[in-house]
Every structure is written in C-alpha cells, then in structure tokens.
Amino acid sequence: MSIQNLVNLTRLDLSSNNFSGNVDVIFFSNLKQLTKLDLSYNSISLTNDNNVKSTLPESLTKIYLSGCEVKELDFLRSTKNLGFLDLSYNSIEGTNPDWAWSNWMHSLYHLNLSHNMLTNIDHFPSFFQLYTLDLRSNFLQGSLPILPSFLSLFFISNNSLRGEIPSFFCNLTSLRVLDLARNNLKGAIPQCLGNMSYELEVLDMQHNFLSGNLQTNFSVGSGLKSFNLHGNKLEGKIPKSLANCRELEVLDLGNNHLNDTFPMWLGTLPQLQVLSLRSNKLHGPIRASRMKNLFPQLQILDISCNAFTTELPTSLFHHLKAMMRIDQTMEPLSDDRYYEDSVTVVTKGMELEVVRILYLYTTMDLSNNKFEGQIPSIMGDLIALRVLNLSHNGLQGHIPKLLGNLFVVESLDLSFNQLSGEIPQQLASVTSLSFLNLSHNHLQGCIPQGPQFHTFMNNSYEDNDELRGFPVSEGCGSSRIPETNNTTRVLDEESTSEFLNDFWKAALMGYGSGLIIGLSIAYIILSARNPNWLSWIVEELEHKITMRRRKKQRGQRHHRRRNNGV
C-alpha cells in the first residue's frame, strides 16, 4: 500500500534512511490528518515542480526537513498551525517571505533556518511566541534583528552582521542562550547584559571586533554557565563581578588585550571547569592565596601567551583537586529536559567552535610566558592530566621523575626552555603518551627506550646536542634501532590515530544536556589555532568533525525517537 493512500496517517517519520532522488511535495497532499513530517538525514531533494504548485497539508504542526535540498518556502503557505519547523542544512536564499510571519506568529515556537544562504531576516513582531530561533551559518548582513520578547534560545553565529550590540537585548528577560559569535560586531558590550544573567546561561560573543573595557556588572544570583569572549579587542581588567556567577562552568576571555594580574579570586567559583585567559597582556607572578579549596572543579587551564613571571605557581597546583584524581566520568551526559523537541536546534550545529564538551580533557597550558626556576615535583600529582604544555618559558633544572606518574598524559611539551640533565627513565613507562616535544633545551645522556618512545621522531629532541640514542644516534648500550623507518612510521600513525580518536571525544559537539557547558565554547586549545603544541591536529579534527557530523546526528535522532516511542 502506498503512503499516499494512508489518509488517516497522523505522523510520518522517514528520517535517517538511505532514500535518494527527488520527492515532490504533491506526494503528501492527500494526508489531510498529518501532524508531523520528518524527512531529515536522507539524500533526497524536496521539489515543487508541478504545473499547479502544491503545498503540504494544513494539519501539520511539526516539520523536519533538515538537509532535503529545500530552495524555497512556498510549499509551506497552507501551514497555518505550524509550531516546529526545521529547515537547516538546505539552500534557501534571500530573505523570509512576507506571508511567513503572519501565518505563524501565533503558533510557531521553534524555527531553525541554520546553514542556508539567507542574506537578510526581517524584524520579528514583539508578540511572536518564538521560543527558539536558529539562524547560524547563513550570509546575513546588516545589523542584529529586533527579536520577539519571549525568545529563550537565540543563535545567529557565523554570519556577516555588523554594527553594535543594541541594548534591547537586555529587555529579553526570558533569554537563556545568546549566541552572537563569529560576526563583525563592534563597539562596547552593553553593561546591562549583566542584569539579565538570572535567566541567561550561555553568552557567546567570540570572534567579533568588540572593544573597550569589559565593564559588564554581573548580579548576585547570576545563572550564567558559559561566558565566551574569545578573539575580540577588549581591554582593561577582568571584572570582579564574575565572582557572582556561582554557576559558571566555562570562562573564555582568550585572545583579547586584557591587562591584569592572575585572577586567583575566580578560584572561588565552585563549578568552574574551563578557564582560558590565553593571549592577553596578563602579567606578574601568580601569588599564593590564603583562601582554601580554590578551583575545585577546574579541568582545563590555559594561561599561555601572556607575561606571567617568576616560578611556576606551586600554590595554585595544590588547589587543583580535579587534576589530581581519575574519577571524571567518561560517559556522555544525555539529559534533554532543557530543550525537549527543540534539542534539534543544538544537535544540528557541528562547527568546531560550536562545542559541547561532553568528555572533558584535563588540560594545562602555561606556555609562552616568562616562568623561571624548576618544574615543581607537585606536577607529578596532577595525575588526571591528559595534556601538559610548559613550552617557551625560562624553566631550568632537571625534568622531575615524578612526571612519570602522569600515566594518562597524551601530550607533553617542555620545549624551548633551559632544562638540563637526563630524560627520566620513568617517562618511558607512560604508554599513553602520543605527542612529546623536549626540543630546544640542554638535555643530555641517553634517550629512554620503550615502545612508546620509539614512535617519536628527531624533532622531539632537536637542539639538545648531548642527547644520545634512538632516534638521534646509535649507542647507549645498544646500537639496535627499531627495524625500519616504516615500522616507526606505522607505530606513530597508530598512536596518533588513537590519540585523535580519544581527543575527538574531548570536543564532541551538541547540546543535549542539562549541564550546559555552552554553545560556542571554543575548546580553548583548538580555537586559538596558533602554531604551538597542538596545532598539528587541528586540520585532522576539523576533517573528523565534518565527516562524522551527519552520522552522529542520525544516531541522536534515532535514539531520541526510540525513547519517545515515536
């Protein structure tokens, strides 16, 4: 029996299959009782090529057409009761049609037009009942649109919007997610945004041209969980009112012109897991604090490319309890209660900078500063570290043997320092190590031998004139070098592949979680893209993200449908 003959059908879900070819809108015209239609994640092209233009049934309230090669919206004219519309990943050009808002202003609560070719979007009536509006990754120009007052989730990143951020955003008292990232916005950040932070959970303005002092005053009781201003031109000091954001999990102020000392007072935030202050003008020593239990949840710390001085902050390391225990869950969070059906808004955006960290990598990057003295042995207690970068400083003395306790570390960069002595044999037992850089120091003696160390090439050790052994020379008690360079290359490719597969988990995309680590939280190592310790995997990760996006989306939708019994 043909689907066209099922005249009493109310729900039709053909998503995440292998259908291909053209599907004309007229195919669904007889289904007068249909309330939900889902054709997403196929290889079809939805057309409207009849002599008499067809429309979808008026009864429809939910339509999912992600990636269906939709080019125009006329086939939706008859849908007067539409509540949920997903047209992401299509080829819709120009601007929204005149009839759309008048048709849907009393019914539509979720609209996803992301990843299309829209160049303009009209202002929305203030009484429009929209809850979610997703306009990411289009070609939108001009200024930010005036938004309906009830809006809760707003995404408009990856466009070409210009002008300043208008103060009317402060009147959107229901707003929980504000994503303005990767546009050409300029000027100061409205101070009043801090007053709306009772409801606001995600505030993302990264990669714009915002300037001036960061004077936003965050109120006591703020619900802010993710605050990302990475890659702007902000100056001045880090606002101490951030200490009022007790729910804050991610703070990324990297790549600005902030001029301050290290904000040890941020350690009082009980939920802070990611802190990036990289590439600013922060300076001076990181001083000890009399406060106890600072940074109890911190798992990613990036203060690289600043001007911090004196010795490495031993007192700070004593506080980093989350880096001292291997008890972080490695299971993805899956609480969808915040978004219900509108979870599709946040699970269909899969750019590198639109990230939800479901698998947190425990990471510390203190590179490109002016730290001196020895590497403190307490760093060996940070046993949960997966990535450690101390490169481009003035560190001296021996590499502590206790670094061999970092048995899950996968990337270790101590290059461009003044370290001396031998490489501790204990490092050879760290079988998880996939990236090692000890170059440009004053190391000497024999390079430890072991299966993992045989995967590292000469560039891991260059400019250490007194080092001996594989791969820089023969000797050190055994002249046998692993069989061929091909063997070494295979080992290196296998370990690199394993590292990338694990590291991929650290940057998993999506939003389906109650713990909102945030939209457009640029994973602090990847977003900066400067040529240091992890730049070698950026292109590979971007490729993985692109190739896995559709597969992951299909799996999420299938899982959600199965749980909902649809």
Side-chain angles (χ1 to χ4, degrees), residues 299-313:
Q299 292 184 243
I300 296 178
L301 173 64
D302 189 346
I303 57 173
S304 62
C305 303
N306 281 288
F308 291 117
T309 58
T310 67
E311 297 181 349
L312 288 172

Side-chain angles (χ1 to χ4, degrees), residues 116-281:
N116 278 281
M117 296 184 287
L118 296 170
T119 55
N120 186 39
I121 195 77
D122 288 344
H123 294 320
F124 295 82
S126 61
F127 50 85
F128 213 145
Q129 300 296 314
L130 268 182
Y131 175 82
T132 302
L133 177 59
D134 192 343
L135 300 172
R136 283 173 294 168
S137 299
N138 279 280
F139 302 130
L140 296 174
Q141 302 176 12
S143 58
L144 286 163
I146 296 175
L147 300 172
S149 55
F150 297 104
L151 196 64
S152 182
L153 310 176
F154 179 50
F155 313 90
I156 200 167
S157 57
N158 290 283
N159 281 285
S160 300
L161 298 169
R162 296 182 178 275
E164 297 186 355
I165 299 173
S167 58
F168 73 73
F169 276 98
C170 301
N171 299 326
L172 303 177
T173 55
S174 298
L175 204 61
R176 293 171 54 205
V177 174
L178 177 58
D179 169 26
L180 308 178
R182 293 195 171 275
N183 280 284
N184 298 313
L185 302 173
K186 63 180 182 179
I189 298 173
Q191 294 186 35
C192 60
L193 286 180
N195 297 328
M196 60 184 294
S197 57
Y198 294 108
E199 293 294 331
L200 194 65
E201 297 178 2
V202 176
L203 181 55
D204 192 341
M205 302 177 182
Q206 63 172 302
H207 294 290
N208 280 284
F209 297 94
L210 301 173
S211 59
N213 289 342
L214 184 54
Q215 297 179 343
T216 305
N217 185 26
F218 295 94
S219 305
V220 175
S222 167
L224 196 64
K225 295 186 177 182
S226 170
F227 188 33
N228 195 332
L229 294 175
H230 189 105
N232 282 282
K233 299 181 178 181
L234 297 167
E235 301 175 346
K237 297 184 180 297
I238 301 169
K240 290 195 174 181
S241 63
L242 281 169
N244 294 328
C245 303
R246 306 292 291 173
E247 303 297 320
L248 195 64
E249 297 170 4
V250 173
L251 177 61
D252 190 345
L253 303 178
N255 197 16
N256 280 284
H257 305 304
L258 299 174
N259 192 339
D260 204 347
T261 56
F262 182 78
M264 189 69 78
W265 47 269
L266 283 174
T268 62
L269 298 177
Q271 305 300 327
L272 190 64
Q273 299 177 40
V274 178
L275 175 60
S276 173
L277 303 173
R278 68 178 301 136
S279 300
N280 278 286
K281 298 179 181 179

Side-chain angles (χ1 to χ4, degrees), residues 422-423 425 443-450 453-454 461 464-481:
E422 297 185 352
I423 301 172
Q425 182 65 38
L443 299 172
Q444 60 189 33
C446 293
I447 296 173
Q449 297 299 295
F453 266 63
H454 287 163
Y461 310 104
N464 287 280
D465 293 338
E466 298 187 35
L467 275 180
R468 305 188 308 278
F470 178 78
V472 300
S473 70
E474 297 186 9
C476 285
S478 173
S479 61
R480 190 178 76 84
I481 294 177

Side-chain angles (χ1 to χ4, degrees), residues 410-465:
E410 300 181 20
S411 175
L412 177 62
D413 192 343
L414 306 179
S415 63
F416 290 93
N417 281 287
Q418 300 176 33
L419 298 171
S420 57
E422 297 185 352
I423 301 172
Q425 182 65 38
Q426 287 82 353
L427 286 180
S429 63
V430 182
T431 57
S432 59
L433 197 59
S434 297
F435 176 83
L436 176 68
N437 193 351
L438 303 177
S439 64
H440 302 281
N441 280 288
H442 306 300
L443 299 172
Q444 60 189 33
C446 293
I447 296 173
Q449 297 299 295
Q452 202 66 19
F453 266 63
H454 287 163
T455 68
F456 303 133
M457 298 293 95
N458 283 15
N459 57 4
S460 292
Y461 310 104
E462 64 183 351
D463 197 21
N464 287 280
D465 293 338

